[in-house]
């Protein structure tokens, strides 16, 4: 019964980890899209500023250049936020819980595999050797 509880705990921890990781990627993508939008607005404003500067005087162009400078700052901030990778502490903890639960399942399975040959064997010596070999193999498989 404990093994099934550990497997269920490992599955829940893995689901939580994937959910939180996906949420982080979604936020990162949203910030990247916002940075792209402000970058596009920067290009439009630079074009408008150049057109106004060439057509008239410098006063309307300076206003457009100020707006373009603000867009550049916003695009830089949002781009920096989208580029950084911060691990979610909940996702890291969920992965640790999953790994611990799976390790305990492997240990429980190895113990059961060691006892079963003893119960089935007619010779105690033969049963001990079989149990030791089975536990060693299962232990190696559980560590992978």
């Amino acid at each position: 019964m404990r093994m099934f509880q550990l497997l269920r705990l490992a599955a829940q921890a893995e689901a939580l980890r994937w959910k939180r990781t996906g949420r982080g990627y979604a936020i990162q993508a949203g910030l990247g899209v916002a940075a792209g939008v402000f970058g596009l607005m920067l290009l439009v404003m630079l074009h408008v500023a150049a057109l106004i500067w060439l057509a008239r005087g410098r006063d309307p162009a300076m206003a457009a250049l100020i707006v373009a400078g603000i867009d550049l700052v916003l695009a830089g901030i949002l781009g920096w936020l989208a580029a950084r990778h911060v691990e979610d502490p909940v996702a890291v903890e969920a992965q640790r819980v999953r790994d611990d639960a799976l390790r305990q399942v492997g240990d429980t399975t190895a113990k059961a595999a060691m006892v079963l040959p003893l119960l089935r064997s007619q010779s105690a010596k033969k049963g001990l050797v079989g149990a030791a070999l089975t536990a060693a193999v299962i232990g190696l498989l559980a560590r992978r």
Side-chain angles (χ1 to χ4, degrees):
M1 187 66 165
R2 175 150 167 82
M3 183 170 65
F4 292 118
Q5 290 172 340
L6 291 172
L7 287 172
R8 185 177 49 214
L9 178 64
Q12 289 172 347
E14 185 67 9
L16 178 61
R17 186 178 76 85
W18 277 104
K19 181 179 177 183
R20 296 295 292 215
T21 301
R23 179 181 172 269
Y25 285 139
I27 290 171
Q28 193 174 14
L31 291 172
V33 167
V37 167
F38 278 103
L40 258 151
M41 290 178 4
L42 167 69
L43 289 176
V44 169
M45 293 308 286
L46 286 175
H47 287 97
V48 169
L51 180 64
I52 291 173
W53 185 67
L54 290 172
R56 293 196 179 169
R58 299 203 184 243
D59 290 338
M62 288 304 293
L65 287 175
I66 290 172
V67 172
I70 291 170
D71 286 343
L72 177 64
V73 169
L74 289 173
I77 290 171
L78 290 172
W80 175 74
L81 286 173
R84 66 186 188 129
H85 178 71
V86 179
E87 288 198 21
D88 185 5
V90 174
V92 170
E93 182 64 19
Q95 184 176 7
R96 189 192 65 74
V97 168
R98 180 205 62 190
D99 292 343
D100 286 347
L102 290 177
R103 190 188 78 252
Q104 289 180 22
V105 166
D107 292 346
T108 303
T109 306
K111 287 176 188 173
M114 189 171 61
V115 171
L116 284 177
L118 285 173
L119 297 175
R120 282 186 276 162
S121 176
Q122 295 182 4
S123 162
K125 188 175 187 181
K126 185 174 154 187
L128 286 175
V129 171
L133 288 175
T134 306
V137 169
I138 290 179
L140 288 174
L141 291 176
R143 298 287 181 232
R144 283 188 171 185

